[in-house]
Amino acid sequence: QVQLVESGGGLVQAGGSLRLSCSASGDTSGIRGMGWYRQAPGKERESVGVITVGGSTNYADSVKGRFTVSRDSSKDMLYLYMDNLKPEDTAVYYCNADYRKQIRTEVWGQGTLVTVSS
């Protein structure tokens, strides 16, 4: 199996920037698409940005132009660059991987908290 561990969360002022990292370990050969999701207090988890094996990306409308997802498959790393952060970006951010070996599963990290102050 594979494990995902996020890092880089913290407290930042509105308008600031932050970079989240997600490190994959274990049998990473089964990882296909990856992505970042977030869950704000009292709200459902939502997709922020996803990236395919080939590097194609797709973003939620609320973060387009401000967030960038990238991956370094040679290092089994996924990144989320967040610029011009807003208080409404406050949430726990989760790393996700589409994992395919004998069966197809979704793998989640434990999450990292991002708090944006106004």
Side-chain angles (χ1 to χ4, degrees), residues 8-62:
L11 174 64
V12 62
Q13 288 188 333
S17 300
L18 209 57
R19 185 189 80 166
L20 304 184
S21 300
C22 173
S23 175
S25 62
D27 185 5
T28 61
S29 65
I31 293 177
R32 300 295 179 263
M34 298 188 76
W36 289 95
Y37 292 73
R38 68 185 181 186
Q39 187 166 18
K43 295 188 177 181
E44 294 188 354
R45 190 173 297 189
E46 63 176 359
S47 175
V48 174
V50 296
I51 185 167
T52 67
V53 172
S56 297
T57 55
N58 193 35
Y59 298 95
D61 288 342
S62 60

Side-chain angles (χ1 to χ4, degrees), residues 1-117:
Q1 254 286 5
V2 67
Q3 296 79 42
L4 304 175
V5 178
E6 303 95 336
S7 62
L11 174 64
V12 62
Q13 288 188 333
S17 300
L18 209 57
R19 185 189 80 166
L20 304 184
S21 300
C22 173
S23 175
S25 62
D27 185 5
T28 61
S29 65
I31 293 177
R32 300 295 179 263
M34 298 188 76
W36 289 95
Y37 292 73
R38 68 185 181 186
Q39 187 166 18
K43 295 188 177 181
E44 294 188 354
R45 190 173 297 189
E46 63 176 359
S47 175
V48 174
V50 296
I51 185 167
T52 67
V53 172
S56 297
T57 55
N58 193 35
Y59 298 95
D61 288 342
S62 60
V63 306
K64 279 181 181 176
R66 300 188 299 120
F67 289 12
T68 302
V69 178
S70 68
R71 66 190 292 178
D72 185 341
S73 296
S74 67
K75 298 181 180 179
D76 295 323
M77 294 293 295
L78 179 73
Y79 303 100
L80 180 65
Y81 298 87
M82 304 184 291
D83 295 319
N84 190 22
L85 283 159
K86 304 176 181 180
E88 51 264 42
D89 295 318
T90 295
V92 177
Y93 284 72
Y94 297 91
C95 176
N96 170 273
D98 176 17
Y99 189 77
R100 305 184 191 186
K101 275 292 191 179
Q102 285 76 20
I103 60 174
R104 182 179 182 179
T105 59
E106 275 194 294
V107 182
W108 294 91
Q110 83 289 349
T112 185
L113 177 63
V114 172
T115 303
V116 184
S117 64

